[in-house]
Amino acid sequence: MICPPKFSLVLGAFLALLGVFVAAGYVLAASWGYKITVSDTPSTIDFTKTSAVIDTTLNEIRLPKYAPKVAAFWNDEYLDYIVLTQDGVIHYSFDGSQMVANPVASVSGVSNPLAAFTSGDYPDVIVADGSRNQITHYSFTGSEMAENPALSVTGLTGVVSVGSRDVDLAALTGGKIEYYGWDGSSMVNIPALSVETGLTNPIDFALFDSYDMIVLDGNQARYYNSGTENPALAITGLTAPKAVAVADGRNVAIVDGTQVKHYTFDGSGFSYNSALSVTSGLSAPTCVALRPGTYDRLIVDEDNVRYYMWDGSQLVYNAQLSVTVSGLQNMGSYASSASAQSLGRDPGSSVTYVRVRAYHVLPDGTSVTWSVTADGTNWVKKWRVRGVPGGATACEISNDNGQTWNSIGNASQASPAVSREELWVQVPAGRSVRWKAELATTNPNYTPKIKAPNPGVDNAVVLETDNKPIPPVISTPGTCYTTTTPTFTWTFSDPDPGDYQTAYQVLIKRKSDGALVYDSGKVLSSQTQFKVPTSADPAVPGPLWSSGAYQFTVQARVWDSMGLPSDWGPAADFCVIGFERPRIREIVSAPAGQAKPNPDDPATHIMITEGMAQTQLPKTKAGGKVGVLLDSVGPLSTFTARFPYLSTEATVGSVSVVATNGTNQRRLIEFWTDASLEVCPSGTLVKGEFSGSGAAGATNLNLPPYAAGVVVTEGSVYSDWFVVLQGRKTN
């Protein structure tokens, strides 16, 4: 007979065991990393649900930079159009063969232009000037473009988009649309034509020839009749809108993702027009402009201003009327918010615990909020990170799906380098595990980023699933422990095959009222046992003595290799009757070099610690009185103390209870050895034996083995004495 090799036997046993776990519905803890690279991103990010920029070149996720108003037409009389640049506006005119810059009608010298649009008489333009916080109207003087202060509006910050109707203008700023009109002497705000409330995430807007406007707000375009919303004319179903433009006849074009969609008014609402839409050939469109009186349009795509002309049946790209302007893709401001979402991951079986962690770059005023789901539908918002003033960051968790937040430190606490149990989320069970990141900024000049310290190499995001370890069970005897430092043990068990313990926590409570006696805190250890400590400080009592009781409960919880804690195990009853913390309160005759404790100052008392060797014990002169303090836990009705040395015993003087705490007591025992060096020579080890009994049982503490002894003698008190001869003179 040929026996199979041991490896085959072991492998077979493992597969059989794994089969048992799978049959029982268990699943291995799962983890997926996201480096944001060309290789991993296409198969891991749900681009249909993502409006943030997924940059596989810089290996980061950030807010999109909107430039909804960087190009605009005037009317159907001219082919001319304007393009906003890093320092002004270029006016392009057709020279018969191509579009060329027209310096006379252009604007230069603007240090921080944010948006531009045509205005009033040809070739007037308005420019949102970020450096001066105003919208400047430029009029043609006959030889150049010059500022027209009367038609300009000052005091506007963070302008995202602008629009005009004749000399009137409007601006998207601070989450609202402000409308300004000419009153005969200056531009004044007109609240009735503004949209100052109700918008949640405005991105862009456009003005019709009438006093109507359309506003891109989140994933819909909202229609307003003279400042009043008309929900019946809303355009919904958008996925990642960036810009909107309008023309006469209520034609609307919207940049949505990598497409420019066209909507026409059918008398009762807007309907999608595929013939006038551009659904392919674009990389990263940011702006669209419609030429009045025609179906022509400009689409700004990266650094390209692409001209599309209607040929009677479809839109056709016209290279002759298109231009390339360096730096266009860097124009504009960051969107106030956007989100990124991962595709579903199947861990192999239904899971209920999910955690996501990530690295961030967070300028002041930016934030990223994280949610997870296991079934792909029911999301739970769990944590967020924020940039705060001074270059610092904050990490906050929520236990009520984002209603309230509690700080757990800085943003590093949510990074893949740190395992915080607070980031684990219990979610409705499922097999489509996903994360969602909502990026936001209060300053359009800055964006938060999801980015690893070593981009493209380290995981920027880590998604995990797990099952909780089984709550540990501690067994205790039916009788009292005879030590105040008992050891409790448990067995680690986890539904995930191969998982292991990485930490534990033990709680001891008073049985009578559940008051906390001792909390070990989270202890990073794979050991499945815990020894109750006592205090090493002579002035601080042990935790069990301090409780005033001798009957307790003990329970534990454990953490697995993924950092997920179990529920608390059942509370086990136990009782203690024992001695602890022997310490020297007084040495009446201390030899040279031995510090004398102050009886009235517990901090100076000398602890006899467990395992203390003879060379470490305090010293006393033979015959000198020594006072020993000893704490006891549990009811004692009898007590005995002995101090053996060589072949005899020390004399025990007074034994008194000096403190009582419930069932627990503190005793002072005084003793001294024989003063004769012949009976107690230098170097004599004095041992200690303590015993007691009561209704709960009997206990003892012997030194040794607890420690080598109590004290060691050195010299004799006789050396402190001298003889004075006295006599009487006689005649």
Side-chain angles (χ1 to χ4, degrees):
M1 181 177 67
I2 301 176
C3 295
K6 287 184 177 180
F7 174 77
S8 298
L9 290 173
V10 173
L11 179 60
F14 172 76
L15 292 176
L17 179 62
L18 182 59
V20 171
F21 280 119
V22 172
Y26 296 135
V27 61
L28 286 167
S31 178
W32 301 275
Y34 301 78
K35 293 183 170 65
I36 316 177
T37 61
V38 173
S39 60
D40 74 357
T41 296
S43 61
T44 59
I45 301 298
D46 186 350
F47 285 95
T48 66
K49 303 289 180 61
T50 295
S51 55
V53 175
I54 311 295
D55 191 328
T56 57
T57 300
L58 297 177
N59 312 112
E60 65 186 25
I61 301 174
R62 63 179 182 270
L63 289 170
K65 212 169 191 184
Y66 289 158
K69 293 297 186 289
V70 296
F73 286 106
W74 272 274
N75 51 46
D76 59 352
E77 185 178 353
Y78 303 101
L79 287 172
D80 294 24
Y81 54 80
I82 62 165
V83 178
L84 186 69
T85 68
Q86 300 284 352
D87 61 358
V89 177
I90 299 178
H91 183 122
Y92 284 95
S93 301
F94 187 60
D95 70 355
S97 61
Q98 62 181 343
M99 301 298 294
V100 295
N102 185 339
V104 174
S106 297
V107 176
S108 60
V110 184
S111 61
N112 184 24
L114 303 175
F117 204 72
T118 55
S119 177
D121 295 335
Y122 172 86
D124 284 13
V125 296
I126 58 173
V127 179
D129 189 335
S131 61
R132 294 192 292 173
N133 296 328
Q134 68 179 38
I135 296 178
T136 307
H137 187 114
Y138 291 87
S139 297
F140 188 59
T141 65
S143 60
E144 63 177 354
M145 300 293 291
E147 291 188 26
N148 188 332
L151 296 178
S152 300
V153 176
T154 61
L156 298 176
T157 60
V159 175
V160 175
S161 177
V162 294
S164 72
R165 181 186 294 117
D166 294 327
V167 296
D168 290 3
L169 63 86
L172 170 55
T173 175
K176 58 185 179 180
I177 311 293
E178 296 186 11
Y179 193 97
Y180 293 85
W182 174 251
D183 70 352
S185 59
S186 64
M187 301 294 287
V188 296
N189 180 245
I190 305 177
L193 297 178
S194 301
V195 181
E196 299 185 347
T197 60
L199 299 175
T200 57
N201 182 25
I203 299 167
D204 190 20
F205 75 98
L207 302 178
F208 290 95
D209 287 340
S210 61
Y211 286 107
D212 293 358
M213 76 171 73
I214 195 163
V215 181
L216 279 186
D217 189 24
N219 285 346
Q220 65 175 323
R222 302 168 67 173
Y223 197 97
Y224 290 83
N225 298 117
S226 300
T228 301
E229 185 173 9
N230 186 341
L233 299 184
I235 299 173
T236 59
L238 304 173
T239 57
K242 301 176 184 177
V244 62
V246 299
D248 47 343
R250 286 185 176 176
N251 282 280
V252 176
I254 297 175
V255 178
D256 191 19
T258 58
Q259 301 180 3
V260 177
K261 300 176 180 179
H262 194 100
Y263 296 85
T264 54
F265 185 66
D266 60 12
S268 60
F270 287 96
S271 58
Y272 176 68
N273 188 322
S274 59
L276 292 174
S277 299
V278 179
T279 59
S280 62
L282 301 175
S283 299
T286 56
C287 172
V288 60
L290 298 182
R291 184 182 175 197
T294 72
Y295 291 130
D296 294 3
R297 65 206 57 214
L298 296 174
I299 298 176
V300 177
D301 186 21
E302 296 182 329
D303 283 351
N304 304 304
V305 181
R306 302 168 65 89
Y307 195 108
Y308 287 84
M309 179 175 288
W310 178 250
D311 69 356
S313 61
Q314 62 181 344
L315 288 172
V316 178
Y317 171 63
N318 188 323
Q320 191 178 16
L321 299 179
S322 301
V323 297
T324 298
V325 180
S326 179
L328 266 186
Q329 59 185 321
N330 297 319
M331 293 295 298
S333 304
Y334 288 110
S336 60
S337 64
S339 63
Q341 184 172 314
S342 69
L343 290 167
R345 296 281 198 168
D346 185 356
S349 184
S350 186
V351 295
T352 57
Y353 282 90
V354 181
R355 178 172 70 175
V356 64
R357 294 174 291 162
Y359 289 107
H360 302 84
V361 177
L362 298 162
D364 181 19
T366 66
S367 66
V368 182
T369 303
W370 291 85
S371 305
V372 292
T373 180
D375 62 5
T377 301
N378 294 288
W379 291 89
V380 177
K381 191 173 292 184
K382 186 58 182 178
W383 59 272
R384 70 182 181 187
V385 287
R386 298 185 295 112
V388 294
T393 60
C395 180
E396 299 161 319
I397 62 169
S398 175
N399 295 318
D400 52 16
N401 201 25
Q403 297 300 309
T404 59
W405 298 94
N406 299 303
S407 175
I408 62 170
N410 59 33
S412 68
Q413 297 303 301
S415 74
V418 179
S419 180
R420 292 295 295 252
E421 68 180 84
E422 298 95 330
L423 303 184
W424 281 105
V425 189
Q426 186 173 10
V427 294
R431 294 180 57 172
S432 183
V433 183
R434 304 165 188 254
W435 55 258
K436 178 167 60 178
E438 298 172 275
L439 294 79
T441 183
T442 58
N443 187 331
N445 295 318
Y446 298 102
T447 177
K449 296 179 181 179
I450 302 169
K451 187 169 189 171
N454 193 5
V457 177
D458 298 335
N459 287 320
V461 182
V462 173
L463 179 66
E464 302 160 300
T465 66
D466 197 12
N467 291 290
K468 278 192 170 186
I470 295 172
V473 177
I474 295 175
S475 296
T476 55
T479 58
C480 289
Y481 289 102
T482 58
T483 173
T484 62
T485 58
T487 297
F488 303 114
T489 61
W490 60 86
T491 299
F492 178 81
S493 182
D494 194 290
D496 303 316
D499 214 341
Y500 54 90
Q501 177 183 303
T502 57
Y504 67 81
Q505 184 178 8
V506 173
L507 292 182
I508 297 174
K509 297 179 181 179
R510 198 161 54 199
K511 184 178 179 180
S512 60
D513 58 3
L516 182 64
V517 172
Y518 182 80
D519 182 353
S520 70
K522 184 178 180 180
V523 180
L524 300 178
S525 173
S526 61
Q527 291 189 353
T528 55
Q529 64 178 29
F530 170 77
K531 184 177 182 179
V532 179
T534 187
S535 174
D537 186 336
V540 179
L544 301 189
W545 192 93
S546 296
S547 72
Y550 75 102
Q551 294 175 310
F552 309 95
T553 63
V554 60
Q555 61 186 145
R557 65 172 175 167
V558 293
W559 282 259
D560 65 11
S561 60
M562 299 289 283
L564 183 63
S566 71
D567 293 328
W568 284 101
D573 293 341
F574 74 98
C575 59
V576 168
I577 177 169
F579 297 114
E580 69 174 3
R581 304 180 66 247
R583 52 206 184 276
I584 306 302
R585 175 183 182 271
E586 182 178 19
I587 301 176
V588 173
S589 299
Q594 173 63 56
K596 291 183 64 173
N598 179 352
D600 298 324
D601 183 2
T604 67
H605 298 172
I606 303 171
M607 291 288 295
I608 308 299
T609 58
E610 188 172 5
M612 183 176 280
Q614 180 174 339
T615 56
Q616 298 172 301
L617 294 174
K619 296 179 174 61
T620 182
K621 291 182 179 180
K625 185 176 73 172
V626 177
V628 177
L629 287 175
L630 184 68
D631 292 348
S632 66
V633 174
L636 295 179
S637 56
T638 67
F639 177 79
T640 303
R642 298 177 60 244
F643 299 94
Y645 66 96
L646 298 178
S647 60
T648 186
E649 293 183 16
T651 299
V652 177
S654 66
V655 177
S656 58
V657 176
V658 296
T660 299
N661 184 23
T663 61
N664 308 329
Q665 297 176 321
R666 177 169 299 141
R667 289 176 172 81
L668 172 62
I669 309 105
E670 297 177 335
F671 73 91
W672 54 88
T673 66
D674 194 295
S676 171
L677 291 177
E678 293 182 358
V679 178
C680 185
S682 291
T684 296
L685 172 65
V686 182
K687 304 174 183 179
E689 297 177 0
F690 309 99
S691 61
S693 63
T699 187
N700 63 76
L701 179 65
N702 294 327
L703 293 75
Y706 178 83
V710 179
V711 293
V712 176
T713 65
E714 182 178 306
S716 169
V717 294
Y718 287 156
S719 64
D720 297 336
W721 303 346
F722 58 91
V723 178
V724 178
L725 297 177
Q726 293 182 339
R728 184 173 55 181
K729 182 177 180 182
T730 60
N731 295 326

